[in-house]
Amino acid sequence: AQSVSQHNHHVILSEAASLELGCNYSYGGTVNLFWYVQYPGQHLQLLLKYFSGDPLVKGIKGFEAEFIKSKFSFNLRKPSVQWSDTAEYFCAVRILGYSTLTFGKGTMLLVSP
Amino acid sequence: EAGVVQSPRYKIIEKKQPVAFWCNPISGHNTLYWYLQNLGQGPELLIRYENEEAVDDSQLPKDRFSAERLKGVDSTLKIQPAELGDSAVYLCASSYPGTGELFFGEGSRLTVL
């Protein structure tokens, strides 16, 4: 079965700092990749997704992620974080042809003003 | 468009008591998921429905957990009897078949005393 690893459980940044959250998955076949975000007190919502094509995908609120197949990675980036980006971020993988998503353990991001 | 609706949002019970959670997915979403989220962890799949059929329930502890989706729309997840270790957030999500893009409800937080 596939697994998803998120490198950091907690990240603390100051506003305007750059962000990169690591995500690696274990499945060797074709996958779809997702980043979900959960703001305090809110439900999980999709930030961005990769299905095929350009490995650099752009999502909402200035986030982007790059799929590097050779490294089994799908790292999330943002050039300049804002206080409102404080949230928990989850990477998820789906094996092509299956509906179920497997999630990482999440990274809690705290942005100080 | 209304999102995924779950109830109750919070439930506190004593161990050995039964509890039930209800979920109404987004209209037209044939696939429904129940996920379990423990503190500091990512969501873990309990069961997936395609219409009214449970197609992936391998992670559902069937000795005490049960679920149903009788008319292929809303769903109920039941625990009987609850144990201390069941304290967690129970998430419901829905999607169009095969898309992999899940839409989550706000979750039902269970505390077992």
Side-chain angles (χ1 to χ4, degrees):
Chain A
Q2 72 275 22
S3 65
V4 181
S5 298
Q6 292 187 237
H7 306 158
N8 306 97
H9 205 52
H10 293 90
V11 173
I12 301 174
L13 295 173
S14 299
E15 274 193 317
S18 63
L19 170 72
E20 181 161 3
L21 301 182
C23 173
N24 288 89
Y25 62 95
S26 64
Y27 185 72
T30 302
V31 296
N32 300 143
L33 296 157
F34 305 81
W35 276 97
Y36 278 80
V37 61
Q38 188 168 25
Y39 298 103
Q42 297 188 24
H43 62 278
L44 277 162
Q45 55 189 287
L46 184 67
L47 199 55
L48 48 78
K49 62 186 178 184
Y50 172 78
F51 278 24
S52 63
D54 189 344
L56 184 63
V57 293
K58 296 189 183 299
I60 60 172
K61 303 185 180 183
F63 286 90
E64 64 179 30
E66 185 176 12
F67 171 50
I68 302 179
K69 187 175 182 179
S70 61
K71 295 184 177 180
F72 300 91
S73 70
F74 190 56
N75 291 356
L76 180 70
R77 300 195 293 249
K78 186 172 184 178
S80 176
V81 294
Q82 300 173 316
W83 176 78
S84 59
D85 293 325
T86 293
E88 192 157 20
Y89 293 80
F90 294 91
C91 181
V93 63
R94 167 181 171 249
I95 295 175
L96 192 65
Y98 291 88
S99 293
T100 301
L101 295 191
T102 299
F103 286 84
K105 292 186 176 183
T107 298
M108 185 68 219
L109 171 66
L110 176 62
V111 180
S112 59
Chain B
E1 177 184 78
V4 176
V5 179
Q6 291 188 245
S7 69
R9 289 290 312 279
Y10 304 92
K11 188 74 175 178
I12 301 173
I13 60 172
E14 294 187 344
K15 63 181 180 182
K16 300 185 181 180
Q17 294 298 306
V19 64
F21 305 111
W22 175 81
C23 172
N24 187 252
I26 293 173
S27 177
H29 282 193
N30 296 337
T31 307
L32 184 146
Y33 312 76
W34 284 101
Y35 276 85
L36 166 69
Q37 187 174 18
N38 286 302
L39 189 65
Q41 303 292 319
E44 299 172 24
L45 182 71
L46 287 173
I47 189 168
R48 173 170 64 94
Y49 283 93
E50 297 291 348
N51 298 304
E52 64 272 11
E53 182 182 359
V55 296
D56 185 354
D57 64 354
S58 58
Q59 301 304 311
L60 188 72
K62 298 181 182 65
D63 56 335
R64 298 184 299 106
F65 287 65
S66 64
E68 60 183 15
R69 192 184 185 198
L70 293 175
K71 296 184 179 179
V73 181
D74 57 350
S75 176
T76 302
L77 177 70
K78 298 178 181 178
I79 308 173
Q80 183 170 12
E83 297 179 352
L84 295 176
D86 296 332
S87 295
V89 177
Y90 292 84
L91 298 168
C92 180
S94 67
S95 71
Y96 286 112
T99 65
E101 182 175 343
L102 274 59
F103 294 80
F104 284 86
E106 292 184 320
S108 294
R109 182 178 295 275
L110 173 66
T111 301
V112 182
L113 303 176

Short mmCIF file of all heavy atoms in Angstrom, two decimals, chain A residues 16-63:
data_model
loop_
_atom_site.label_atom_id
_atom_site.label_comp_id
_atom_site.label_asym_id
_atom_site.label_seq_id
_atom_site.Cartn_x
_atom_site.Cartn_y
_atom_site.Cartn_z
N ALA A 16 6.17 37.18 5.19
CA ALA A 16 7.02 37.49 4.04
C ALA A 16 8.12 36.46 3.82
O ALA A 16 8.82 36.53 2.80
CB ALA A 16 7.62 38.88 4.12
N ALA A 17 8.28 35.53 4.74
CA ALA A 17 9.27 34.48 4.52
C ALA A 17 8.77 33.52 3.45
O ALA A 17 7.57 33.43 3.17
CB ALA A 17 9.54 33.73 5.82
N SER A 18 9.70 32.82 2.84
CA SER A 18 9.32 31.82 1.83
C SER A 18 9.03 30.49 2.51
O SER A 18 9.60 30.17 3.55
CB SER A 18 10.43 31.66 0.79
OG SER A 18 11.59 31.16 1.41
N LEU A 19 8.15 29.74 1.87
CA LEU A 19 7.70 28.48 2.44
C LEU A 19 7.97 27.33 1.48
O LEU A 19 7.75 27.46 0.26
CB LEU A 19 6.19 28.54 2.70
CG LEU A 19 5.49 27.22 3.08
CD1 LEU A 19 5.89 26.80 4.48
CD2 LEU A 19 3.99 27.36 2.95
N GLU A 20 8.46 26.23 2.02
CA GLU A 20 8.48 24.99 1.26
C GLU A 20 8.18 23.85 2.22
O GLU A 20 8.89 23.65 3.21
CB GLU A 20 9.82 24.74 0.56
CG GLU A 20 9.81 23.44 -0.25
CD GLU A 20 10.90 23.37 -1.30
OE1 GLU A 20 11.71 24.30 -1.39
OE2 GLU A 20 10.93 22.37 -2.05
N LEU A 21 7.12 23.12 1.93
CA LEU A 21 6.73 21.96 2.72
C LEU A 21 6.98 20.70 1.91
O LEU A 21 6.52 20.59 0.77
CB LEU A 21 5.26 22.04 3.13
CG LEU A 21 4.84 23.25 3.94
CD1 LEU A 21 3.36 23.15 4.30
CD2 LEU A 21 5.68 23.39 5.20
N GLY A 22 7.70 19.77 2.49
CA GLY A 22 8.06 18.57 1.77
C GLY A 22 7.00 17.49 1.82
O GLY A 22 6.28 17.35 2.82
N CYS A 23 6.89 16.73 0.73
CA CYS A 23 5.98 15.60 0.66
C CYS A 23 6.59 14.55 -0.24
O CYS A 23 6.97 14.84 -1.38
CB CYS A 23 4.62 16.03 0.11
SG CYS A 23 3.48 14.65 -0.21
N ASN A 24 6.67 13.33 0.27
CA ASN A 24 7.13 12.20 -0.53
C ASN A 24 6.11 11.07 -0.42
O ASN A 24 5.48 10.89 0.61
CB ASN A 24 8.49 11.70 -0.06
CG ASN A 24 9.60 12.65 -0.42
OD1 ASN A 24 9.92 13.56 0.32
ND2 ASN A 24 10.17 12.45 -1.59
N TYR A 25 5.99 10.31 -1.50
CA TYR A 25 5.07 9.19 -1.49
C TYR A 25 5.82 7.94 -1.90
O TYR A 25 6.92 8.01 -2.47
CB TYR A 25 3.87 9.45 -2.41
CG TYR A 25 4.26 9.63 -3.86
CD1 TYR A 25 4.22 8.56 -4.74
CD2 TYR A 25 4.67 10.87 -4.33
CE1 TYR A 25 4.59 8.71 -6.06
CE2 TYR A 25 5.05 11.03 -5.65
CZ TYR A 25 5.00 9.95 -6.52
OH TYR A 25 5.38 10.11 -7.82
N SER A 26 5.23 6.78 -1.64
CA SER A 26 5.97 5.54 -1.81
C SER A 26 5.56 4.72 -3.03
O SER A 26 6.25 3.75 -3.38
CB SER A 26 5.81 4.66 -0.56
OG SER A 26 4.45 4.29 -0.42
N TYR A 27 4.48 5.08 -3.70
CA TYR A 27 3.98 4.24 -4.79
C TYR A 27 4.74 4.48 -6.07
O TYR A 27 5.00 5.62 -6.44
CB TYR A 27 2.50 4.51 -5.00
CG TYR A 27 1.85 3.61 -6.02
CD1 TYR A 27 1.63 2.27 -5.73
CD2 TYR A 27 1.46 4.10 -7.26
CE1 TYR A 27 1.04 1.44 -6.65
CE2 TYR A 27 0.87 3.27 -8.19
CZ TYR A 27 0.66 1.94 -7.88
OH TYR A 27 0.08 1.12 -8.81
N GLY A 28 5.11 3.40 -6.78
CA GLY A 28 5.92 3.53 -7.98
C GLY A 28 5.17 3.75 -9.27
O GLY A 28 5.77 4.06 -10.29
N GLY A 29 3.87 3.59 -9.25
CA GLY A 29 3.08 3.73 -10.46
C GLY A 29 2.54 5.14 -10.64
O GLY A 29 3.00 6.09 -10.00
N THR A 30 1.56 5.27 -11.50
CA THR A 30 0.99 6.57 -11.79
C THR A 30 0.07 7.02 -10.66
O THR A 30 -0.77 6.25 -10.19
CB THR A 30 0.18 6.52 -13.10
OG1 THR A 30 1.04 6.08 -14.15
CG2 THR A 30 -0.37 7.90 -13.44
N VAL A 31 0.27 8.25 -10.24
CA VAL A 31 -0.50 8.78 -9.11
C VAL A 31 -1.06 10.16 -9.44
O VAL A 31 -0.57 10.85 -10.34
CB VAL A 31 0.34 8.88 -7.83
CG1 VAL A 31 0.79 7.51 -7.35
CG2 VAL A 31 1.54 9.79 -8.05
N ASN A 32 -2.09 10.52 -8.73
CA ASN A 32 -2.53 11.90 -8.68
C ASN A 32 -2.13 12.44 -7.31
O ASN A 32 -2.14 11.70 -6.32
CB ASN A 32 -4.06 12.00 -8.83
CG ASN A 32 -4.55 11.41 -10.14
OD1 ASN A 32 -5.62 10.80 -10.18
ND2 ASN A 32 -3.81 11.58 -11.22
N LEU A 33 -1.80 13.71 -7.26
CA LEU A 33 -1.27 14.29 -6.02
C LEU A 33 -2.07 15.52 -5.64
O LEU A 33 -2.50 16.29 -6.51
CB LEU A 33 0.21 14.63 -6.20
CG LEU A 33 1.09 13.40 -6.43
CD1 LEU A 33 2.37 13.79 -7.14
CD2 LEU A 33 1.39 12.71 -5.13
N PHE A 34 -2.21 15.72 -4.35
CA PHE A 34 -3.04 16.80 -3.84
C PHE A 34 -2.38 17.44 -2.63
O PHE A 34 -1.66 16.79 -1.87
CB PHE A 34 -4.41 16.26 -3.39
CG PHE A 34 -5.16 15.49 -4.43
CD1 PHE A 34 -4.86 14.17 -4.69
CD2 PHE A 34 -6.19 16.08 -5.14
CE1 PHE A 34 -5.55 13.45 -5.65
CE2 PHE A 34 -6.90 15.38 -6.09
CZ PHE A 34 -6.58 14.05 -6.35
N TRP A 35 -2.67 18.71 -2.44
CA TRP A 35 -2.42 19.38 -1.18
C TRP A 35 -3.76 19.94 -0.69
O TRP A 35 -4.45 20.65 -1.44
CB TRP A 35 -1.42 20.52 -1.31
CG TRP A 35 0.01 20.07 -1.25
CD1 TRP A 35 0.85 19.82 -2.29
CD2 TRP A 35 0.78 19.86 -0.06
NE1 TRP A 35 2.09 19.44 -1.83
CE2 TRP A 35 2.08 19.45 -0.46
CE3 TRP A 35 0.51 19.96 1.31
CZ2 TRP A 35 3.09 19.15 0.45
CZ3 TRP A 35 1.51 19.66 2.21
CH2 TRP A 35 2.79 19.26 1.78
N TYR A 36 -4.08 19.60 0.54
CA TYR A 36 -5.26 20.13 1.19
C TYR A 36 -4.81 21.03 2.34
O TYR A 36 -3.74 20.82 2.94
CB TYR A 36 -6.13 19.01 1.76
CG TYR A 36 -7.04 18.35 0.75
CD1 TYR A 36 -6.56 17.39 -0.12
CD2 TYR A 36 -8.38 18.70 0.66
CE1 TYR A 36 -7.39 16.79 -1.06
CE2 TYR A 36 -9.23 18.12 -0.26
CZ TYR A 36 -8.73 17.17 -1.12
OH TYR A 36 -9.56 16.58 -2.04
N VAL A 37 -5.65 22.00 2.68
CA VAL A 37 -5.36 22.91 3.78
C VAL A 37 -6.55 22.95 4.73
O VAL A 37 -7.71 22.83 4.31
CB VAL A 37 -5.03 24.33 3.26
CG1 VAL A 37 -6.21 24.92 2.49
CG2 VAL A 37 -4.66 25.26 4.41
N GLN A 38 -6.25 23.05 6.00
CA GLN A 38 -7.30 23.17 7.01
C GLN A 38 -7.00 24.39 7.87
O GLN A 38 -6.09 24.36 8.71
CB GLN A 38 -7.39 21.92 7.86
CG GLN A 38 -8.59 21.90 8.79
CD GLN A 38 -8.82 20.53 9.41
OE1 GLN A 38 -7.92 19.73 9.54
NE2 GLN A 38 -10.06 20.26 9.78
N TYR A 39 -7.74 25.48 7.64
CA TYR A 39 -7.60 26.67 8.46
C TYR A 39 -8.26 26.44 9.82
O TYR A 39 -9.16 25.60 9.93
CB TYR A 39 -8.21 27.88 7.75
CG TYR A 39 -7.52 28.20 6.44
CD1 TYR A 39 -8.10 27.85 5.22
CD2 TYR A 39 -6.27 28.82 6.43
CE1 TYR A 39 -7.46 28.12 4.02
CE2 TYR A 39 -5.62 29.09 5.24
CZ TYR A 39 -6.22 28.73 4.03
OH TYR A 39 -5.58 28.98 2.84
N PRO A 40 -7.82 27.15 10.83
CA PRO A 40 -8.38 26.94 12.18
C PRO A 40 -9.90 27.01 12.19
O PRO A 40 -10.49 27.98 11.72
CB PRO A 40 -7.75 28.07 12.99
CG PRO A 40 -6.47 28.38 12.28
CD PRO A 40 -6.75 28.17 10.83
N GLY A 41 -10.51 25.95 12.70
CA GLY A 41 -11.96 25.91 12.82
C GLY A 41 -12.71 25.64 11.53
O GLY A 41 -13.95 25.71 11.51
N GLN A 42 -11.99 25.36 10.46
CA GLN A 42 -12.66 25.14 9.18
C GLN A 42 -12.42 23.71 8.68
O GLN A 42 -11.64 22.96 9.23
CB GLN A 42 -12.17 26.14 8.14
CG GLN A 42 -12.49 27.58 8.48
CD GLN A 42 -12.16 28.51 7.34
OE1 GLN A 42 -12.13 28.11 6.16
NE2 GLN A 42 -11.93 29.76 7.67
N HIS A 43 -13.15 23.35 7.61
CA HIS A 43 -13.00 22.02 7.06
C HIS A 43 -11.80 21.95 6.10
O HIS A 43 -11.29 22.98 5.65
CB HIS A 43 -14.28 21.62 6.32
CG HIS A 43 -14.62 22.51 5.16
ND1 HIS A 43 -15.25 23.72 5.32
CD2 HIS A 43 -14.39 22.37 3.84
CE1 HIS A 43 -15.40 24.29 4.14
NE2 HIS A 43 -14.89 23.49 3.22
N LEU A 44 -11.37 20.75 5.82
CA LEU A 44 -10.33 20.53 4.84
C LEU A 44 -10.79 21.02 3.48
O LEU A 44 -11.90 20.73 3.05
CB LEU A 44 -10.01 19.04 4.74
CG LEU A 44 -9.05 18.46 5.76
CD1 LEU A 44 -9.20 16.94 5.81
CD2 LEU A 44 -7.62 18.84 5.43
N GLN A 45 -9.90 21.73 2.79
CA GLN A 45 -10.25 22.18 1.45
C GLN A 45 -9.06 22.04 0.52
O GLN A 45 -7.90 22.11 0.96
CB GLN A 45 -10.77 23.61 1.46
CG GLN A 45 -9.85 24.63 2.11
CD GLN A 45 -10.54 25.97 2.26
OE1 GLN A 45 -10.74 26.69 1.29
NE2 GLN A 45 -10.89 26.31 3.48
N LEU A 46 -9.35 21.84 -0.75
CA LEU A 46 -8.31 21.60 -1.73
C LEU A 46 -7.52 22.87 -2.01
O LEU A 46 -8.10 23.94 -2.26
CB LEU A 46 -8.93 21.09 -3.03
CG LEU A 46 -7.95 20.69 -4.13
CD1 LEU A 46 -7.16 19.46 -3.70
CD2 LEU A 46 -8.70 20.42 -5.43
N LEU A 47 -6.21 22.74 -1.97
CA LEU A 47 -5.30 23.85 -2.27
C LEU A 47 -4.84 23.78 -3.72
O LEU A 47 -4.85 24.77 -4.45
CB LEU A 47 -4.10 23.78 -1.33
CG LEU A 47 -3.23 24.99 -1.11
CD1 LEU A 47 -4.03 26.19 -0.66
CD2 LEU A 47 -2.14 24.66 -0.09
N LEU A 48 -4.43 22.60 -4.13
CA LEU A 48 -4.05 22.37 -5.52
C LEU A 48 -3.94 20.87 -5.77
O LEU A 48 -3.93 20.08 -4.82
CB LEU A 48 -2.73 23.06 -5.86
CG LEU A 48 -1.53 22.90 -4.93
CD1 LEU A 48 -0.86 21.56 -5.12
CD2 LEU A 48 -0.51 24.01 -5.17
N LYS A 49 -3.85 20.52 -7.06
CA LYS A 49 -3.78 19.11 -7.43
C LYS A 49 -2.95 18.94 -8.69
O LYS A 49 -2.83 19.85 -9.51
CB LYS A 49 -5.19 18.55 -7.67
CG LYS A 49 -5.92 19.25 -8.82
CD LYS A 49 -7.35 18.78 -8.93
CE LYS A 49 -8.07 19.54 -10.06
NZ LYS A 49 -9.51 19.17 -10.14
N TYR A 50 -2.36 17.76 -8.81
CA TYR A 50 -1.62 17.40 -10.01
C TYR A 50 -2.18 16.09 -10.54
O TYR A 50 -2.20 15.07 -9.82
CB TYR A 50 -0.13 17.24 -9.74
CG TYR A 50 0.61 16.68 -10.93
CD1 TYR A 50 0.92 17.50 -12.01
CD2 TYR A 50 0.94 15.33 -11.02
CE1 TYR A 50 1.56 16.99 -13.12
CE2 TYR A 50 1.57 14.81 -12.12
CZ TYR A 50 1.88 15.65 -13.17
OH TYR A 50 2.50 15.13 -14.29
N PHE A 51 -2.58 16.11 -11.83
CA PHE A 51 -3.04 14.88 -12.47
C PHE A 51 -2.07 14.47 -13.57
O PHE A 51 -1.67 13.31 -13.66
CB PHE A 51 -4.45 15.07 -13.04
CG PHE A 51 -5.55 14.90 -12.02
CD1 PHE A 51 -5.32 15.08 -10.67
CD2 PHE A 51 -6.84 14.56 -12.42
CE1 PHE A 51 -6.34 14.92 -9.73
CE2 PHE A 51 -7.85 14.39 -11.49
CZ PHE A 51 -7.62 14.57 -10.16
N SER A 52 -1.71 15.40 -14.43
CA SER A 52 -0.77 15.11 -15.51
C SER A 52 -0.33 16.44 -16.11
O SER A 52 -0.81 17.50 -15.74
CB SER A 52 -1.42 14.23 -16.58
OG SER A 52 -2.51 14.90 -17.19
N GLY A 53 0.63 16.37 -17.05
CA GLY A 53 1.07 17.58 -17.75
C GLY A 53 2.17 18.30 -17.02
O GLY A 53 3.05 17.69 -16.41
N ASP A 54 2.09 19.62 -17.06
CA ASP A 54 3.12 20.47 -16.44
C ASP A 54 3.28 20.08 -14.97
O ASP A 54 2.33 20.15 -14.19
CB ASP A 54 2.70 21.94 -16.55
CG ASP A 54 3.80 22.90 -16.12
OD1 ASP A 54 4.77 22.47 -15.46
OD2 ASP A 54 3.67 24.10 -16.44
N PRO A 55 4.50 19.70 -14.58
CA PRO A 55 4.69 19.26 -13.20
C PRO A 55 4.66 20.39 -12.18
O PRO A 55 4.63 20.14 -10.98
CB PRO A 55 6.08 18.62 -13.24
CG PRO A 55 6.78 19.26 -14.38
CD PRO A 55 5.71 19.53 -15.40
N LEU A 56 4.65 21.62 -12.65
CA LEU A 56 4.53 22.75 -11.74
C LEU A 56 3.08 23.21 -11.79
O LEU A 56 2.59 23.70 -12.80
CB LEU A 56 5.47 23.88 -12.16
CG LEU A 56 5.50 25.10 -11.24
CD1 LEU A 56 6.01 24.72 -9.85
CD2 LEU A 56 6.37 26.19 -11.84
N VAL A 57 2.40 23.03 -10.68
CA VAL A 57 0.98 23.38 -10.63
C VAL A 57 0.77 24.55 -9.68
O VAL A 57 1.45 24.67 -8.66
CB VAL A 57 0.12 22.19 -10.19
CG1 VAL A 57 0.15 21.10 -11.24
CG2 VAL A 57 0.56 21.64 -8.86
N LYS A 58 -0.18 25.37 -10.06
CA LYS A 58 -0.49 26.55 -9.23
C LYS A 58 -1.87 26.36 -8.62
O LYS A 58 -2.80 25.86 -9.25
CB LYS A 58 -0.43 27.81 -10.08
CG LYS A 58 0.97 28.09 -10.63
CD LYS A 58 1.07 29.44 -11.27
CE LYS A 58 2.46 29.65 -11.86
NZ LYS A 58 3.52 29.60 -10.82
N GLY A 59 -1.96 26.78 -7.37
CA GLY A 59 -3.23 26.65 -6.67
C GLY A 59 -3.74 28.00 -6.22
O GLY A 59 -3.33 29.04 -6.71
N ILE A 60 -4.62 27.93 -5.23
CA ILE A 60 -5.21 29.16 -4.72
C ILE A 60 -4.24 29.88 -3.80
O ILE A 60 -3.29 29.27 -3.28
CB ILE A 60 -6.53 28.86 -3.99
CG1 ILE A 60 -6.29 27.91 -2.81
CG2 ILE A 60 -7.55 28.27 -4.95
CD1 ILE A 60 -7.50 27.71 -1.91
N LYS A 61 -4.47 31.16 -3.61
CA LYS A 61 -3.76 31.98 -2.64
C LYS A 61 -2.24 32.01 -2.86
O LYS A 61 -1.49 32.15 -1.88
CB LYS A 61 -4.09 31.54 -1.22
CG LYS A 61 -5.59 31.59 -0.93
CD LYS A 61 -5.92 31.27 0.50
CE LYS A 61 -7.43 31.34 0.71
NZ LYS A 61 -7.82 31.12 2.11
N GLY A 62 -1.80 31.86 -4.09
CA GLY A 62 -0.38 32.01 -4.40
C GLY A 62 0.47 30.78 -4.15
O GLY A 62 1.70 30.84 -4.26
N PHE A 63 -0.15 29.67 -3.81
CA PHE A 63 0.59 28.44 -3.58
C PHE A 63 0.88 27.73 -4.90
O PHE A 63 0.13 27.83 -5.86
CB PHE A 63 -0.19 27.49 -2.67
CG PHE A 63 -0.20 27.90 -1.24
CD1 PHE A 63 -1.19 28.73 -0.74
CD2 PHE A 63 0.79 27.46 -0.37
CE1 PHE A 63 -1.20 29.13 0.59
CE2 PHE A 63 0.79 27.84 0.97
CZ PHE A 63 -0.20 28.67 1.44
#
